[in-house]
């Protein structure tokens, strides 16, 4: 069964304290691994797409990496404005997109 | 560009009532989707459309209906509301179904059925 699991469910960091969020996937034929950011009361906002193991992408304080079994979202020196829920999703077909349940990140000033 | 616009933002329904959730996009995307998001669960696909006049079921279609008469609009209809349909509903669109075409989401409709 195709499945995406994110950990931890929630993460509290001090401002400047770097950490990583995990997205483990068990799917047949990965076409792309997506990361989205979701703020309270808003829809998910696209961050990155990773296509193959070994690929890395960066945006400001965020860096996403991909292996054959999992993806990590590394947050370097986070700021309070990075507080949000981060979702990952694995695409296996044209309309087959499996979402994880998200990691709720809180960055404390 | 407004992107994907959903209305209403909030709605409370009584069991058995009907309503339509509206979704419009101004990006000329052919592909549109309806998802529901429940606490502790990942987003689940309800219905999708690959273009005007063409719709298909997703993972959790029971209790819902859709139509796509124009490229811009993709309304979701609840005919007989049930408590199990209490959720946050997100509409999304994309340029294509390839992995190089991420979803653009609206800001959701929070629906409570009592």
């Amino acid at each position: 069964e195709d499945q995406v699991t994110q950990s931890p469910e929630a993460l509290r960091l001090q401002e400047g304290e770097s950490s990583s969020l995990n997205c483990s996937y068990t799917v047949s034929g990965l076409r792309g691994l997506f990361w989205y950011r979701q703020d309270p009361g808003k829809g998910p906002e696209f961050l990155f797409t990773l296509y193959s193991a070994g690929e890395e992408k960066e945006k400001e304080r965020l860096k996403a990496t991909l292996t054959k079994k999992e993806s990590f979202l590394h947050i370097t020196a986070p700021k309070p404005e990075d507080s949000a829920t981060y979702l990952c999703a694995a695409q296996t077909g044209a309309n087959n997109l499996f979402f994880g349940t998200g990691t709720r990140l809180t960055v404390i000033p | 560009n407004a992107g994907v616009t959903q209305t209403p933002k909030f709605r409370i329904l009584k069991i058995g009532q009907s309503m339509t959730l509206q979704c419009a996009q101004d990006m000329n995307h052919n592909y549109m989707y309806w998802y529901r998001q429940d606490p502790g669960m990942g987003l689940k696909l309800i219905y999708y459309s690959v273009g005007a006049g063409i719709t298909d079921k997703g993972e959790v279609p029971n209790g819902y209906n859709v139509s796509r008469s124009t490229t811009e609009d993709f309304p979701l209809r609840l005919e007989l509301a049930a408590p199990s349909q209490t959720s946050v509903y997100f509409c999304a669109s994309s340029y294509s179904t390839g992995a190089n075409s991420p979803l653009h989401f609206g800001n959701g409709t929070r629906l409570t059925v009592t």
Side-chain angles (χ1 to χ4, degrees), chain B residues 3-4 14 23 26 31 45-46 50 65 67 70 76 83 98 101 106:
Chain B
V4 178
K14 295 188 183 300
C23 174
D26 63 359
Y31 300 87
L45 182 63
I46 304 171
V50 301
N65 278 300
S67 60
T70 67
L76 178 71
S101 181

mmCIF file of all heavy atoms in Angstrom, chain B residues 3-4 14 23 26 31 45-46 50 65 67 70 76 83 98 101 106:
data_model
loop_
_atom_site.group_PDB
_atom_site.id
_atom_site.type_symbol
_atom_site.label_atom_id
_atom_site.label_comp_id
_atom_site.label_asym_id
_atom_site.label_seq_id
_atom_site.Cartn_x
_atom_site.Cartn_y
_atom_site.Cartn_z
ATOM 1 N N GLY B 3 -5.359 33.649 -8.261
ATOM 2 C CA GLY B 3 -5.021 32.249 -8.060
ATOM 3 C C GLY B 3 -6.284 31.408 -7.974
ATOM 4 O O GLY B 3 -7.136 31.445 -8.844
ATOM 5 N N VAL B 4 -6.421 30.669 -6.875
ATOM 6 C CA VAL B 4 -7.581 29.819 -6.631
ATOM 7 C C VAL B 4 -8.409 30.450 -5.519
ATOM 8 O O VAL B 4 -7.883 30.691 -4.425
ATOM 9 C CB VAL B 4 -7.168 28.387 -6.237
ATOM 10 C CG1 VAL B 4 -8.403 27.546 -5.952
ATOM 11 C CG2 VAL B 4 -6.313 27.758 -7.318
ATOM 12 N N LYS B 14 -26.966 21.819 8.836
ATOM 13 C CA LYS B 14 -27.660 20.798 9.609
ATOM 14 C C LYS B 14 -27.664 19.503 8.798
ATOM 15 O O LYS B 14 -27.593 19.504 7.554
ATOM 16 C CB LYS B 14 -29.081 21.240 9.916
ATOM 17 C CG LYS B 14 -29.159 22.457 10.828
ATOM 18 C CD LYS B 14 -30.578 22.728 11.257
ATOM 19 C CE LYS B 14 -30.669 23.978 12.107
ATOM 20 N NZ LYS B 14 -29.858 23.866 13.333
ATOM 21 N N CYS B 23 -15.454 27.139 -6.255
ATOM 22 C CA CYS B 23 -14.021 27.222 -6.519
ATOM 23 C C CYS B 23 -13.821 27.829 -7.894
ATOM 24 O O CYS B 23 -14.439 27.361 -8.875
ATOM 25 C CB CYS B 23 -13.377 25.847 -6.452
ATOM 26 S SG CYS B 23 -11.628 25.862 -6.929
ATOM 27 N N ASP B 26 -7.981 31.532 -11.916
ATOM 28 C CA ASP B 26 -7.770 32.460 -13.022
ATOM 29 C C ASP B 26 -6.427 32.234 -13.690
ATOM 30 O O ASP B 26 -5.865 33.148 -14.314
ATOM 31 C CB ASP B 26 -7.913 33.903 -12.542
ATOM 32 C CG ASP B 26 -6.866 34.286 -11.496
ATOM 33 O OD1 ASP B 26 -6.039 33.423 -11.133
ATOM 34 O OD2 ASP B 26 -6.893 35.437 -11.036
ATOM 35 N N TYR B 31 -6.466 21.380 -15.088
ATOM 36 C CA TYR B 31 -6.665 20.383 -14.052
ATOM 37 C C TYR B 31 -7.099 21.048 -12.753
ATOM 38 O O TYR B 31 -6.453 21.988 -12.283
ATOM 39 C CB TYR B 31 -5.390 19.574 -13.833
ATOM 40 C CG TYR B 31 -4.949 18.852 -15.087
ATOM 41 C CD1 TYR B 31 -4.127 19.483 -16.016
ATOM 42 C CD2 TYR B 31 -5.395 17.562 -15.352
ATOM 43 C CE1 TYR B 31 -3.759 18.839 -17.176
ATOM 44 C CE2 TYR B 31 -5.019 16.913 -16.515
ATOM 45 C CZ TYR B 31 -4.205 17.556 -17.425
ATOM 46 O OH TYR B 31 -3.840 16.918 -18.575
ATOM 47 N N LEU B 45 -8.140 13.058 -1.792
ATOM 48 C CA LEU B 45 -8.741 13.533 -3.036
ATOM 49 C C LEU B 45 -10.190 13.078 -3.140
ATOM 50 O O LEU B 45 -10.479 11.882 -3.031
ATOM 51 C CB LEU B 45 -7.933 13.017 -4.223
ATOM 52 C CG LEU B 45 -8.385 13.461 -5.611
ATOM 53 C CD1 LEU B 45 -8.259 14.980 -5.768
ATOM 54 C CD2 LEU B 45 -7.575 12.748 -6.682
ATOM 55 N N ILE B 46 -11.092 14.030 -3.390
ATOM 56 C CA ILE B 46 -12.519 13.718 -3.501
ATOM 57 C C ILE B 46 -12.895 13.502 -4.968
ATOM 58 O O ILE B 46 -13.409 12.464 -5.354
ATOM 59 C CB ILE B 46 -13.372 14.851 -2.904
ATOM 60 C CG1 ILE B 46 -12.976 15.118 -1.459
ATOM 61 C CG2 ILE B 46 -14.855 14.489 -2.968
ATOM 62 C CD1 ILE B 46 -13.626 16.371 -0.874
ATOM 63 N N VAL B 50 -10.082 17.032 -15.532
ATOM 64 C CA VAL B 50 -8.956 17.253 -16.451
ATOM 65 C C VAL B 50 -9.285 18.304 -17.502
ATOM 66 O O VAL B 50 -8.452 18.590 -18.370
ATOM 67 C CB VAL B 50 -8.510 15.943 -17.117
ATOM 68 C CG1 VAL B 50 -8.097 14.927 -16.061
ATOM 69 C CG2 VAL B 50 -9.595 15.365 -18.005
ATOM 70 N N ASN B 65 -20.740 15.508 -5.264
ATOM 71 C CA ASN B 65 -20.842 15.567 -6.716
ATOM 72 C C ASN B 65 -20.123 16.809 -7.220
ATOM 73 O O ASN B 65 -20.019 17.806 -6.492
ATOM 74 C CB ASN B 65 -22.304 15.617 -7.176
ATOM 75 C CG ASN B 65 -22.923 14.241 -7.208
ATOM 76 O OD1 ASN B 65 -22.455 13.357 -7.924
ATOM 77 N ND2 ASN B 65 -23.972 14.045 -6.425
ATOM 78 N N SER B 67 -19.175 19.258 -10.987
ATOM 79 C CA SER B 67 -19.413 19.576 -12.392
ATOM 80 C C SER B 67 -18.313 20.515 -12.846
ATOM 81 O O SER B 67 -17.687 21.195 -12.021
ATOM 82 C CB SER B 67 -20.793 20.217 -12.574
ATOM 83 O OG SER B 67 -20.878 21.411 -11.819
ATOM 84 N N THR B 70 -16.979 25.158 -17.103
ATOM 85 C CA THR B 70 -16.000 26.085 -17.660
ATOM 86 C C THR B 70 -14.610 25.713 -17.156
ATOM 87 O O THR B 70 -14.469 24.978 -16.174
ATOM 88 C CB THR B 70 -16.282 27.547 -17.250
ATOM 89 O OG1 THR B 70 -16.074 27.671 -15.836
ATOM 90 C CG2 THR B 70 -17.710 27.955 -17.588
ATOM 91 N N LEU B 76 -18.205 22.023 -5.888
ATOM 92 C CA LEU B 76 -18.402 20.743 -5.202
ATOM 93 C C LEU B 76 -19.751 20.779 -4.505
ATOM 94 O O LEU B 76 -20.022 21.680 -3.723
ATOM 95 C CB LEU B 76 -17.297 20.513 -4.171
ATOM 96 C CG LEU B 76 -17.377 19.239 -3.336
ATOM 97 C CD1 LEU B 76 -17.074 18.017 -4.194
ATOM 98 C CD2 LEU B 76 -16.421 19.311 -2.146
ATOM 99 N N PRO B 83 -22.645 14.271 9.407
ATOM 100 C CA PRO B 83 -21.568 14.702 10.317
ATOM 101 C C PRO B 83 -20.181 14.275 9.826
ATOM 102 O O PRO B 83 -19.194 14.983 10.087
ATOM 103 C CB PRO B 83 -21.937 14.023 11.635
ATOM 104 C CG PRO B 83 -23.421 13.893 11.574
ATOM 105 C CD PRO B 83 -23.739 13.598 10.136
ATOM 106 N N GLY B 98 1.889 16.335 -14.479
ATOM 107 C CA GLY B 98 3.260 15.925 -14.289
ATOM 108 C C GLY B 98 3.813 16.386 -12.956
ATOM 109 O O GLY B 98 3.292 17.322 -12.343
ATOM 110 N N SER B 101 4.548 20.051 -12.216
ATOM 111 C CA SER B 101 3.427 20.977 -12.167
ATOM 112 C C SER B 101 2.733 20.848 -10.813
ATOM 113 O O SER B 101 1.768 20.104 -10.668
ATOM 114 C CB SER B 101 2.432 20.682 -13.298
ATOM 115 O OG SER B 101 1.359 21.601 -13.272
ATOM 116 N N GLY B 106 -6.458 26.795 -2.971
ATOM 117 C CA GLY B 106 -7.201 27.887 -2.384
ATOM 118 C C GLY B 106 -7.038 27.858 -0.875
ATOM 119 O O GLY B 106 -6.328 27.001 -0.329
#
